[in-house]
Amino acid sequence: MITGKVTERREAVIDLEVIGKNQRKVRVEAAIETCFNGYLTLPTATVNTLALQPAGNRIATLGVEIQ
């Protein structure tokens, strides 16, 4: 079972441990999306720390906060 929490911004999040090719481990907090496509988006610094091979990169707006 996966457990998580709902943030003050009403985001469902879980903690993940990502392991790189160099066997380094980094904990990340991941937002749960209903349209998950099998890829995890990570900050460039985390990708570099873990020596991961990027699947690609894009500049995108993932969401807009409406007030």
Side-chain angles (χ1 to χ4, degrees):
M1 176 193 317
I2 298 173
T3 59
K5 64 183 178 184
V6 177
T7 68
E8 291 178 6
R9 297 178 64 186
R10 297 182 181 162
E11 296 173 312
V13 296
I14 60 171
D15 288 324
L16 294 176
E17 185 175 69
V18 182
I19 303 172
K21 289 184 177 184
N22 56 9
Q23 298 305 308
R24 287 191 67 180
K25 299 176 185 179
V26 173
R27 279 208 173 291
V28 296
E29 188 174 81
I32 303 300
E33 295 289 337
T34 57
C35 59
F36 179 65
N37 63 4
Y39 290 93
L40 180 64
T41 302
L42 296 169
T44 302
T46 304
V47 171
N48 293 339
T49 297
L50 296 174
L52 298 174
Q53 180 65 38
N57 61 25
R58 303 266 189 291
I59 296 174
T61 301
L62 298 178
V64 177
E65 184 174 342
I66 299 173
Q67 303 243 350

